[in-house]
Amino acid sequence: MTASLPQESHGILLVDKPKGKTSFYLVARLRRLLGVKTIGHAGTLDPFATGVMVLLIGKPFTRLSDQLLGADKEYLGEIHLGITTDTYDCDGVVQQQSDKIPTREELEACLKHFQGEVDQTPPMFSAKKVNGKKLYELARKGKEIERKSVKVKLHTTLLSYNYPYATVNIQCSKGTYIRSIAYDLGVMLGCGAHLSNLRRLRSGCFKIENCLDSAALVDGADLQLIKSALLKEIPSK
């Protein structure tokens, strides 16, 4: 699908989001550099996560947001066993610790539950709305409410295990919470767990190897480099 009459500074920009920055940091940088106010995205990443951010610059391209948001994703995740946090990730407050050391066989057996269509309960620390309220707003007030499970599709592969870290590749459908997988895995193993690192490798047809390094978005950046990286259409798969 091709956007009609795109301007020079309009298009789809793939950026490798750095660790410790919000997704909207990239949006703000591009607004400042390109002088374009209308910038959207095809899915955010938490501050601790890195990887593929699909940024939609200009109205002809922000209209593609709904189409691109529904694409499947691929992640490289590091799960820290033995420690549970309130947010299910490394940015949260530690709630429980365990000395139990699961065997690789136990880990592989539990990971079989994260294949195919799976019911997943959204974490309290998420932007998902229930009765008009974002869950994280309630969580910050110390409140926890019942959440309906959502069906997601997963293909999970164990890449390495060196306690307390397990590295996994996860291909998943829209709306999947990788940190919930880490939390649920910890419950199944009886030792607790949280997501300690996350890298998005792919968002739909957009891959990490085609992303612009975020260092290119500093003040005084080479605007021609950024503009030359803009895609004017969605590539064929």
Side-chain angles (χ1 to χ4, degrees), residues 43-110:
T44 61
L45 283 168
D46 289 327
F48 77 93
T50 65
V52 180
M53 275 288 299
V54 181
L55 295 154
L56 309 172
I57 304 168
K59 286 184 179 179
F61 293 93
T62 55
R63 293 181 186 133
L64 301 174
S65 180
D66 288 344
Q67 176 184 344
L68 297 176
L69 278 168
D72 60 338
K73 310 288 193 302
E74 181 178 357
Y75 295 93
L76 181 68
E78 179 189 74
I79 299 173
H80 188 148
L81 303 179
I83 297 177
T84 305
T85 70
D86 57 353
T87 58
Y88 301 176
D89 61 39
C90 58
D91 284 339
V93 176
V94 173
Q95 290 189 313
Q96 292 181 329
Q97 297 189 53
S98 171
D99 294 328
K100 180 181 178 181
I101 302 178
T103 64
R104 186 183 181 94
E105 290 72 25
E106 289 174 321
L107 181 58
E108 289 176 337
C110 287

Side-chain angles (χ1 to χ4, degrees), residues 22 44 53 99 132 141 152 189 200-201 221 232 237:
T22 67
T44 61
M53 275 288 299
D99 294 328
K141 294 177 181 177
V152 296
L189 289 168
R200 185 188 283 160
L201 302 177
K232 302 301 183 179
K237 293 184 179 180

Side-chain angles (χ1 to χ4, degrees), residues 148-180:
K148 291 183 179 179
S149 63
V150 178
K151 289 190 180 299
V152 296
K153 290 184 179 179
L154 304 174
H155 179 73
T156 305
T157 304
L158 178 64
L159 300 179
S160 66
Y161 177 43
N162 183 19
Y163 182 85
Y165 299 107
T167 302
V168 294
N169 176 280
I170 299 175
Q171 298 176 46
C172 57
S173 60
K174 171 190 175 184
T176 301
Y177 290 95
I178 307 301
R179 51 203 164 95
S180 285

Side-chain angles (χ1 to χ4, degrees), residues 169-208:
N169 176 280
I170 299 175
Q171 298 176 46
C172 57
S173 60
K174 171 190 175 184
T176 301
Y177 290 95
I178 307 301
R179 51 203 164 95
S180 285
I181 294 175
Y183 174 82
D184 292 342
L185 178 64
V187 172
M188 288 181 182
L189 289 168
C191 64
H194 70 276
L195 189 64
S196 48
N197 268 304
L198 183 66
R199 184 161 178 77
R200 185 188 283 160
L201 302 177
R202 179 177 57 81
S203 178
C205 60
F206 303 112
K207 300 178 181 179
I208 190 65

